[in-house]
Amino acid sequence: PEIKASDLPVRPAQVPAGLVLPAVKGKGTLNAAGEDLSVDAALESRFGKVQAKGDVKDYLSAKPQGSVEAQLDLSLPETKASDLPVPVAGLPPNFVIPAVKVRGRAGLRGADLFLDGLKVDSKWGGVEIAGSVGKALSGKPEPQVWAKLALDLPETPAAALPMLPKGLPAGFVIPPLKIRGKAGLRGTRAELDGFKVESPWGSVEATGSVAQALSPKPEPHLTARLNLK
């Protein structure tokens, strides 16, 4: 049955108490001996399917050791940022993440997350992701991730995106955007390669980096080619 993480008889330290675990059907093996866990199973829930295999020592601690790899085939519902199990820096609590389909492979080694050929599709388009996120289950993740973007974003009031630079006029609206290219996040530094943004105002192609990209005071080091109307 569906269960809250806070209701588990034993809850791993890295699992938020407010996380709701969906009802799951499983086939395979799951062995727990003390604080060691071994899994080789196919799990199915209302969110889709996961095929997982691996071994984790001290899985009940804040610093589990070992590794688990999973093949993902998931369909996740629309979610507010405030409802995510782990906070994401730069996203306001009322920001709505659209429903997404997730396909590909992911692995957890200790507290570090590894992504390989992961594809995320939503009503905004698609993103292909590869790389790693150190300390992914902590409040201070350390990303080393690259993404290939093909997105079509809707018109959005700037007030809904507080991570944007301050000083924009009241009521400013960001027009619909078509985004193509590669973007990476290394710690707090964003990197762009062949990154192109098109809107009714024209287009911008950019290459370079932005230090402190998720802070209120980003530090851009970019070369841009403008074609504005």
Side-chain angles (χ1 to χ4, degrees):
E2 185 174 87
I3 187 171
K4 289 185 178 179
S6 58
D7 294 334
L8 292 172
V10 180
R11 177 171 58 88
Q14 64 271 28
V15 176
L19 181 66
V20 177
L21 306 174
V24 174
K25 294 180 180 179
K27 293 183 179 180
T29 60
L30 181 65
N31 297 315
E35 293 191 351
D36 297 344
L37 181 69
S38 177
V39 60
D40 185 358
L43 307 176
E44 186 173 351
S45 75
R46 59 188 171 93
F47 296 144
K49 300 177 181 179
V50 177
Q51 178 76 44
K53 184 175 183 179
D55 300 283
V56 181
K57 295 182 180 296
D58 300 325
Y59 77 98
L60 297 176
S61 73
K63 296 182 178 180
Q65 300 297 321
S67 64
V68 175
E69 294 189 2
Q71 183 72 34
L72 309 176
D73 186 0
L74 302 173
S75 298
L76 306 178
E78 182 176 273
T79 307
K80 282 188 177 181
S82 59
D83 294 332
L84 292 174
V86 178
V88 178
L91 286 184
N94 62 348
F95 184 84
V96 178
I97 301 167
V100 297
K101 292 184 178 180
V102 181
R103 307 286 186 274
R105 291 187 297 172
L108 195 61
R109 300 173 191 168
D112 300 339
L113 177 66
F114 293 83
L115 307 173
D116 181 17
L118 195 69
K119 296 183 179 181
V120 181
D121 294 299
S122 75
K123 63 180 180 181
W124 294 344
V127 179
E128 297 181 29
I129 307 171
S132 64
V133 182
K135 301 179 182 178
L137 300 180
S138 73
K140 296 182 178 180
E142 301 172 355
Q144 300 286 330
V145 176
W146 274 96
K148 184 178 180 181
L149 309 174
L151 299 174
D152 295 283
L153 305 182
E155 180 178 274
T156 307
L161 302 170
M163 74 285 289
L164 293 177
K166 297 186 182 298
L168 294 175
F172 183 82
V173 175
I174 300 170
L177 301 176
K178 178 181 288 187
I179 300 175
R180 302 291 185 271
K182 294 182 180 180
L185 190 59
R186 301 180 184 274
T188 60
R189 177 185 294 274
E191 299 181 2
L192 306 178
D193 183 13
F195 193 79
K196 185 175 183 179
V197 180
E198 297 180 79
S199 78
W201 300 344
S203 65
V204 177
E205 297 181 49
T207 299
S209 63
V210 180
Q212 305 300 323
L214 301 179
S215 75
K217 295 182 179 180
E219 302 170 7
H221 301 275
L222 299 170
T223 300
R225 181 179 178 182
L226 308 178
N227 183 15
L228 303 178
K229 300 176 182 178

